[in-house]
Structure formats: C-alpha cells, structure tokens
Amino acid sequence: KGRWKTVTVGFSVAPPPSVNFTLRRSIPRIHASASSSSSPSSPSLGAGENNELDAVSAFSEIVPDTVVFDDFERFPPTAATVSSALLLGICGLPDTIFRNAVDMALADSTCAGLDTTESKLSCFFDKAIVNVGGDLVKLVPGRVSTEVDARLAYDTNAIIRKVHDLLRLYNEIDVPHDRLLFKIPATWQGIEAAKLLESEGIQTHLTFVYSFAQAAAAAQAGASVIQIFVGRLRDWARNHSGDTEIETAVKSGKILVWPWVDYVIAPLKVLQSLKDSPAVPDDEKYSFVRKLTPETATHYNFTNKELIKWDQLSLVSAMGPASVELLSAGVEGYANQAKRVEELFGKIWPPPNV
C-alpha cells in the first residue's frame, strides 16, 4: 500500500521465460512508453509492429540477459545483473572488457593479506563482483543487480552482513546507492533479510520466486524487485501433465500470458528468435487485452487468501511442490557457481603482472 507496483518478466538462460515483479518508489521508470500509456482494453499488437519482439516491446521493456558476449548494438541493455555465472564467463574470455575488473580484484592487497585461504578467496570474489558491477553501472541507464552469495540463502544475518560489505565496496568506487539492487534468493530467510535491508533504504531483488506465497511475502517485505521464473515453472508443469490444476491453468493461458509486465529479461537467442518471428495481427496469441495496469491494481479486490500476513510456517506450507523443488535447485545451482568462482580464483591468483 502506498507503493507503486511494477512488474517484470525475464527469461532464464534456457529459452522459456521467467518473470520479475518490481516494486518501485523513487526510481524513475525506464519502460517503453507504449507500456505505460496503453489502456486496459487495448489489443497487444499494434499496426506498426512487424515481429514478435516489437509486439512484446509495445508493453514491456526488453532487457537482454547479462552475459559477457552480449551484442550491445542489436539489443542495448537498459539494466544488468552481475553474478557468479558472469564472473565465470569473464574468466573464460580474457579479451572481454570486464576482464580488467577481475584482474584488479585479484591484485587487491587487502584481500591478499588475509590470514586464511577461505577469507582471501571470499574477499577476491566480493571485489570482483563489485568491480564488474561498477563497470556495468557505466554501461546501462537503469539499475545493476548484484548477486548475493547463495550459500548464505538460509541465514538472514549473514545475508545482511554480505550486502553491507558489498555496499561498502561500491561506496569505495563511488557507485550511487540508487543505481544498485542486491539479488537474494526468496527463501524465508532471504525475504526477512530483504525486509530489513529495505527498511535501511537498500534496494533488494528477490529471485527464485515460484509461488504466489513467495511473491506475496516478498511484496509484504517491501522488496524492490520480485523475479518469477516463468520458464522453469512452465517446464515443471510440462513434466507434471497429470496435475489437473496445472492443465487447467495451461488451457486458460495463465502460464503463457506474460507480456504487460514491466520488464522482459531474456538471453540473446530468445530475443533474436522473437525478432525473426513475424507478428500476425489475427493470431490468437496477440488478441489478449492488457491486464496489468496501475488502474486495475488500484481497483483490485483482494481475497482473504491474498491478504494473508505471511510468516515462515505459513509460507512453507503454502509454497507447493513446484516452488519447493525449484527454489532448492536454484539455490544449490547458484551456490555451486559461487564455489566454482572461488576455486577458479584460487588457481589463477595472482594474475599476470601482479
């Protein structure tokens, strides 16, 4: 209440989409103008839209997924994420523009002087992710989201300490706070951490949201961005075709209707596929009316179920098998990536010429 809710759809690395919901306060909108001006009854495909990418862009801001080989000319990014996966990509491509940011982190004397190998590698990791984030801030007009180590996903205090550490490092390179988000897994502990961080004015980005319960709890926590992975949910649903509730949702389009959210985050291969696909005005999939608007949100009548004040017990019991399984897998995957980065840093430290 009192906050302007905006919504984002993103795609995971696999072709199917994922969805992000953004709760904004003072951050200026950078959405396509057609998205904010369309009326609730307007069709989704206009006369000037020749391909599916144009059709989607009429309602949602397109954000290319952050990878080191992004084609910034064909699909210029408006926002970005710096992650352990990105660091691995940078280390695999020595000529990337971000490699110097990693080398400078590995040359940091403060990290090198720490007592234990574990603390040294953790310090290098934090320095590297912040250095790359600082470079991305210069390249995109919107916000840069910084991944918080997923190995801390079930420890609220550890998440908060890590965000404070990262923010301190960003302060050292003069990156404004309003250009930053901190990406945290939407475990109960992560949601609680986001609530406390947001109360300090630190913008958070809750990821691995796969259920209404997680999304609602994240919204109640005041998270600035809520990211729902539609693609992974769709894949899970396809593998559970005997579930009548899922089959009903698929038939009614509830899983596949994703335009009208504020952002669509997608890898280049998905964006290129949309760009190469002609948009046909009479096609049924473009006949949907816009459902997500500030006006419809203002007049929405919440059910008792939607007004539940979530706590850890009610959240866990309401998540359902898909979100429990996918959240666990997502956290484990990100944690393994962070571990791989530190192992790689241990092998290549010190960098050449240091």
Side-chain angles (χ1 to χ4, degrees):
K1 183 176 180 181
R3 291 186 175 183
W4 182 14
K5 295 185 180 180
T6 62
V7 188
T8 308
V9 175
F11 289 78
S12 55
V13 175
S18 66
V19 183
N20 307 339
F21 293 82
T22 309
L23 307 184
R24 301 289 188 82
R25 291 180 290 280
S26 60
I27 304 301
R29 297 186 72 177
I30 56 174
H31 310 179
S33 58
S35 174
S36 60
S37 61
S38 301
S39 66
S41 60
S42 60
S44 62
L45 180 61
E49 291 143 8
N50 300 316
N51 56 58
E52 291 187 352
L53 184 61
D54 290 336
V56 174
S57 299
F59 293 92
S60 305
E61 183 80 15
I62 304 299
V63 181
D65 202 5
T66 305
V67 289
V68 295
F69 44 83
D70 271 347
D71 190 329
F72 287 93
E73 293 184 0
R74 280 189 303 153
F75 304 106
T78 58
T81 297
V82 56
S83 63
S84 52
L86 180 58
L87 293 182
L88 289 172
I90 292 170
C91 292
L93 295 172
D95 59 345
T96 174
I97 60 174
F98 302 111
R99 184 54 191 256
N100 184 62
V102 174
D103 288 343
M104 290 297 292
L106 293 174
D108 187 84
S109 59
T110 301
C111 295
L114 295 176
D115 295 335
T116 66
T117 300
E118 182 182 1
S119 60
K120 187 181 301 183
L121 293 177
S122 178
C123 183
F124 286 144
F125 183 100
D126 290 350
K127 283 278 188 178
I129 208 166
V130 166
N131 285 353
V132 174
D135 284 351
L136 286 169
V137 165
K138 301 172 185 176
L139 293 174
V140 300
R143 294 174 292 182
V144 171
S145 186
T146 302
E147 177 187 300
V148 176
D149 193 336
R151 290 172 291 185
L152 310 176
Y154 299 98
D155 188 332
T156 297
N157 291 329
I159 292 170
I160 293 172
R161 286 195 299 269
K162 178 62 72 175
V163 171
H164 286 164
D165 288 343
L166 294 172
L167 195 56
R168 175 179 52 79
L169 294 176
Y170 273 118
N171 288 337
E172 292 177 1
I173 58 174
D174 299 321
V175 175
H177 291 194
D178 63 358
R179 297 293 308 281
L180 297 172
L181 290 158
F182 291 93
K183 189 174 182 180
I184 301 168
T187 59
W188 172 253
Q189 293 81 0
I191 292 171
E192 281 287 278
K195 181 179 180 179
L196 294 169
L197 290 166
E198 291 282 350
S199 71
E200 299 176 22
I202 299 171
Q203 298 179 107
T204 60
H205 168 179
L206 284 173
T207 189
F208 299 141
V209 177
Y210 299 105
S211 64
F212 171 81
Q214 286 175 285
Q220 290 175 3
S224 296
V225 173
I226 303 172
Q227 181 177 13
I228 302 176
F229 289 82
V230 173
R232 295 179 192 179
L233 280 170
R234 186 173 65 180
D235 289 344
W236 194 93
R238 285 171 173 168
N239 294 327
H240 295 76
S241 56
D243 190 314
T244 56
E245 183 177 353
I246 290 174
E247 290 177 349
T248 301
V250 171
K251 290 179 181 178
S252 65
K254 290 181 180 178
I255 292 180
L256 302 178
V257 181
W258 50 268
W260 306 286
V261 298
D262 298 307
Y263 295 97
V264 175
I265 304 174
L268 294 181
K269 62 182 179 181
V270 172
L271 297 181
Q272 189 62 55
S273 176
L274 291 171
K275 191 173 184 178
D276 293 340
S277 300
V280 182
D282 294 332
D283 192 324
E284 182 179 353
K285 68 179 177 180
Y286 295 112
S287 63
F288 297 111
V289 297
R290 187 178 184 217
K291 298 179 180 179
L292 300 174
T293 68
E295 292 76 19
T296 55
T298 300
H299 297 95
Y300 184 80
N301 292 319
F302 289 91
T303 65
N304 290 334
K305 178 182 178 181
E306 293 168 334
L307 291 173
I308 291 174
K309 183 63 177 177
W310 298 95
D311 55 28
Q312 184 172 8
L313 181 61
S314 61
L315 177 69
V316 171
S317 62
M319 281 177 59
S323 55
V324 169
E325 178 182 328
L326 292 170
L327 172 62
S328 177
V331 169
E332 182 180 1
Y334 272 34
N336 288 337
Q337 285 181 343
K339 183 179 179 180
R340 286 174 57 199
V341 170
E342 291 182 352
E343 291 174 347
L344 179 60
F345 284 177
K347 293 176 181 178
I348 64 177
W349 184 85
N353 304 319
V354 174

